[in-house]
Amino acid sequence: MTGPTGSVLVELRGVEKRFGATHALDAVSLDVRAGEIHAFVGENGAGKSTLGKVIAGIYSADQGEVFVDGAPVERWNPGIAQRRGIAMIAQELALVPDLTVAQNVFLGAEQHWLGVERRNLDARFAALDAEVGFGLDPHARVRDLRIADKQKVEILRSLARGARVIVMDEPTSSLTAHEMTQLEDLMRTLRDRGCCVIYVSHFLDSVLGVADRITVMRDGRRIETFDAAAVRKHDLVTSMLGREMDQAYPDRPAAPGPDAPVLLDVQHLRTDTGVEDMSFTVRAGEIVGLLGLVGSGRTECLRAVFGLDAIVEGEVRFGDLDWSGRSPKQSIDAGLVLVSEDRHKDGLVLQRSVRENIALASLGARARGGVIDGRRERSVAEELSRALEIRPLDPELPVGWFSGGNQQKALLGKALAAGPKAIILDEPTRGVDVGAKRTIYELIARLAEEGIAVLLISSEHEEIMELAHRAYLVSDGRTFAEIVPVQTTVEDVLFRLFHVTPGEEAAA
Ligand SMILES: Nc1ncnc2c1ncn2[C@@H]1O[C@H](COP(=O)(O)OP(=O)(O)OP(=O)(O)O)[C@@H](O)[C@H]1O
Ligand SMILES: [Mg+2]
């Protein structure tokens, strides 16, 4: 293999992992080395997280061997892995919210952490923090931190335990562009200190920019390990998919005529969650985007429209009805659905099957005289699973068994089962692989063609620029301009988002 010549820290030989009928890892052999950033890429369900978990001792292999520092390990679990210097920053962070930053960092790193002298703890924290340059406040409660800082705490925590191999599973999926750059710098810092960073991500540009080696997984197999300096994005995608990639975006559906009814009409919305003054409309058959930076108030706006948060001022109309102060249940029953960005908190019951999750969304629509039509439920679940290419294609499996991207697709399926007239999509392709993104884009286009009003939020601005008929620019809780994507460019939009003079061109 080409690439860095640092010593091999962990090596897998012929590792097998099965979950029931799923062959999650199929004869995987791989090494990771000191002083490298080693990325794992692949489609949803390809086995990336499972591979990371085997390396970190969270799963043990059904067959095959794990070598650490050249010697085979006899027993393999998270405790042993930790003692051997291997840590994983999970997709769902495992911090104690009510403890401080410093307490979390040293939690479990020693026997009697509560007994650690405060001054001592502070000094040690300061030394550690200075090494990586985070500048975290040791006394802040973890509960009050935003996700990017929580990740930093997790990273410090693994360093406090002497980690040399740090597995980061999709660490950037909820970060702003700026935080993403910071995280990439951090990965480089760790690498330069001689650590191995394993970076699992769907952001191929980031992967190409930061990684030394890139391992492509497909169907549980290691397909190839590339030297990142010598590979192009196109080759990566082809290797991930096992075929040439179609064009990324489908054709934009025809814009609805001026006589198409306005289904969503929001005027001067204000909430106490950060929306100051937002106004926009969405017609039947129209795809409308909200373009803004993370934290600009887009998600908060949608939550209020859907009925999750209170409206303080302004008007929301859904069709002919005043839609202020409605509950989420009323919204769903009336055909206004929200696909939330947080699939675990607002979206899915992980212990339940895809069919059950879908049924939960559409109980009102499917109940016949109080009896739920089981057969119909199954056929709807199957139809949607097929349309969204949910894998494995078995609506009876618990959602928690699915890979991250497939959970996202199930969430979308749940919203569609309710038979919406208007659908609000908040980051619908987060954690979804390149191939599946195209499936979701096609679906969005089809919804519009069927006359459904689509309101789309995405931090990948290109998605809105390629799919939407119209879009509003949002900053500091305000819609400050309306654009037609085909008449402008992503660069122009970014320029305007970063150089806003609020109130300068208030939306009419
Ligand atoms: N705990 C589990 N129980 C049952 N099946 C599982 C479990 N964990 C993973 N799988 C299955 O193993 C396969 C690989 O999943 P894995 O989570 O490793 O994929 P991934 O490459 O990380 O995908 P994504 O990009 O969507 O996160 C999938 O088919 C998944 O459904
Ligand atoms: Mg995963």
Side-chain angles (χ1 to χ4, degrees):
M1 269 186 256
T2 53
T5 50
S7 56
V8 171
L9 297 180
V10 181
E11 184 184 353
L12 306 185
R13 286 194 202 157
V15 164
E16 299 278 335
K17 186 76 192 170
R18 287 176 193 272
F19 297 103
T22 303
H23 204 166
L25 293 179
D26 182 355
V28 174
S29 297
L30 168 90
D31 67 41
V32 301
R33 305 176 192 170
E36 74 163 335
I37 299 172
H38 193 136
F40 294 171
V41 301
E43 290 186 272
N44 297 132
K48 305 177 297 293
S49 295
T50 306
L51 184 57
K53 286 176 182 168
V54 169
I55 291 174
I58 295 164
Y59 291 155
S60 55
D62 297 341
Q63 272 172 54
E65 284 181 295
V66 177
F67 292 73
V68 178
D69 298 322
V73 294
E74 302 280 313
R75 287 173 55 234
W76 201 226
N77 61 40
I80 296 172
Q82 187 192 312
R83 284 196 288 284
R84 303 298 302 269
I86 303 162
M88 180 155 183
I89 315 284
Q91 266 169 303
E92 283 75 39
L93 302 175
L95 299 169
V96 185
D98 286 319
L99 294 182
T100 67
V101 166
Q103 284 167 336
N104 265 283
V105 165
F106 293 107
L107 180 63
E110 52 226 71
Q111 300 263 287
H112 305 288
W113 65 273
L114 275 173
V116 178
E117 212 186 312
R118 175 76 179 262
R119 197 165 43 94
N120 190 3
L121 192 70
D122 282 358
R124 288 174 48 204
F125 181 87
L128 190 63
D129 190 66
E131 245 181 285
V132 286
F134 286 168
L136 286 170
D137 171 6
H139 306 302
R141 299 247 153 234
V142 161
R143 164 182 306 294
D144 302 325
L145 300 183
R146 38 171 297 111
I147 182 119
D149 287 333
K150 286 184 186 164
Q151 275 179 347
K152 291 179 188 159
V153 178
E154 279 262 12
I155 291 165
L156 283 183
R157 185 166 141 175
S158 57
L159 291 178
R161 296 160 182 215
R164 306 176 289 156
V165 177
I166 302 181
V167 184
M168 301 190 186
D169 194 357
E170 296 196 41
T172 54
S173 56
S174 24
L175 301 187
T176 63
H178 175 64
E179 287 167 341
M180 184 140 153
T181 313
Q182 282 187 323
L183 186 79
E184 288 171 352
D185 287 343
L186 168 69
M187 288 191 240
R188 293 188 185 100
T189 308
L190 295 173
R191 172 191 59 196
D192 296 345
R193 286 171 42 132
C195 290
C196 169
V197 177
I198 294 175
Y199 178 30
V200 182
S201 179
H202 289 289
F203 292 102
L204 298 183
D205 292 322
S206 170
V207 161
L208 282 164
V210 77
D212 300 296
R213 291 196 297 162
I214 305 174
T215 288
V216 175
M217 296 291 297
R218 191 193 329 137
D219 298 329
R221 288 190 293 272
R222 184 177 73 86
I223 301 298
E224 248 166 306
T225 296
F226 292 103
D227 178 353
V231 68
R232 294 173 310 149
K233 189 167 168 184
H234 175 265
D235 306 323
L236 268 189
V237 172
T238 309
S239 177
M240 284 167 61
L241 301 181
R243 57 178 164 79
E244 288 285 323
M245 172 75 180
D246 307 330
Q247 189 198 338
Y249 290 91
D251 291 337
R252 203 181 316 250
D259 50 339
V262 171
L263 287 188
L264 263 183
D265 186 357
V266 174
Q267 296 301 325
H268 303 297
L269 182 72
R270 190 160 76 80
T271 69
D272 55 17
T273 53
V275 179
E276 295 298 330
D277 184 0
M278 291 186 52
S279 302
F280 56 88
T281 58
V282 191
R283 289 179 187 276
E286 193 178 27
I287 304 171
V288 171
L290 296 182
L291 286 162
L293 306 176
V294 171
S296 59
R298 298 164 308 169
T299 295
E300 291 71 16
C301 166
L302 306 185
R303 289 177 57 91
V305 168
F306 180 64
L308 280 166
D309 295 333
I311 293 170
V312 173
E313 232 175 88
E315 199 184 1
V316 177
R317 298 188 68 79
F318 175 47
D320 300 328
L321 303 169
D322 176 2
W323 212 253
S324 318
R326 303 294 179 127
S327 69
K329 183 175 182 316
Q330 284 177 308
S331 290
I332 293 168
D333 289 347
L336 170 63
V337 300
L338 168 72
V339 179
S340 135
E341 62 175 335
D342 188 339
R343 57 183 174 247
H344 292 151
K345 193 152 72 48
D346 304 328
L348 294 168
V349 186
L350 294 179
Q351 301 81 359
R352 301 286 198 93
S353 69
V354 174
R355 177 179 55 74
E356 289 169 309
N357 269 283
I358 285 177
L360 284 175
S362 44
L363 280 181
R366 308 252 173 270
R368 303 265 157 73
V371 185
I372 296 160
D373 184 340
R375 184 181 304 176
R376 169 135 180 79
E377 200 180 281
R378 260 190 296 282
S379 77
V380 168
E382 206 146 294
E383 207 179 295
L384 286 166
S385 299
R386 220 178 282 281
L388 289 164
E389 294 170 16
I390 295 179
R391 270 173 280 171
L393 184 64
D394 182 354
E396 299 304 323
L397 291 180
V399 169
W401 289 19
F402 285 26
S403 74
N406 281 296
Q407 291 182 9
Q408 185 67 30
K409 293 191 239 171
L411 186 62
L412 201 52
K414 177 177 164 182
L416 296 179
K421 295 192 188 80
I423 185 164
I424 305 176
L425 301 171
D426 194 358
E427 306 284 3
T429 63
R430 175 169 292 170
V432 167
D433 69 59
V434 281
K437 274 184 178 171
R438 164 85 196 197
T439 307
I440 290 180
Y441 299 151
E442 279 168 9
L443 186 88
I444 291 173
R446 203 161 66 232
L447 293 175
E449 276 160 4
E450 286 168 7
I452 294 168
V454 181
L455 181 60
L456 177 63
I457 289 193
S458 171
S459 295
E460 291 187 50
H461 294 138
E462 195 187 286
E463 291 186 341
I464 289 177
M465 299 302 283
E466 294 287 339
L467 292 168
H469 299 111
R470 286 187 302 126
Y472 295 83
L473 305 191
V474 182
S475 172
D476 298 317
R478 294 165 205 275
T479 39
F480 68 93
E482 185 186 327
I483 62 155
V484 176
V486 287
Q487 296 168 359
T488 180
T489 63
V490 177
E491 289 70 33
D492 183 49
V493 165
L494 283 175
F495 183 77
R496 295 177 72 179
L497 287 176
F498 280 111
H499 296 85
V500 210
T501 322
E504 194 178 72
E505 8 175 9

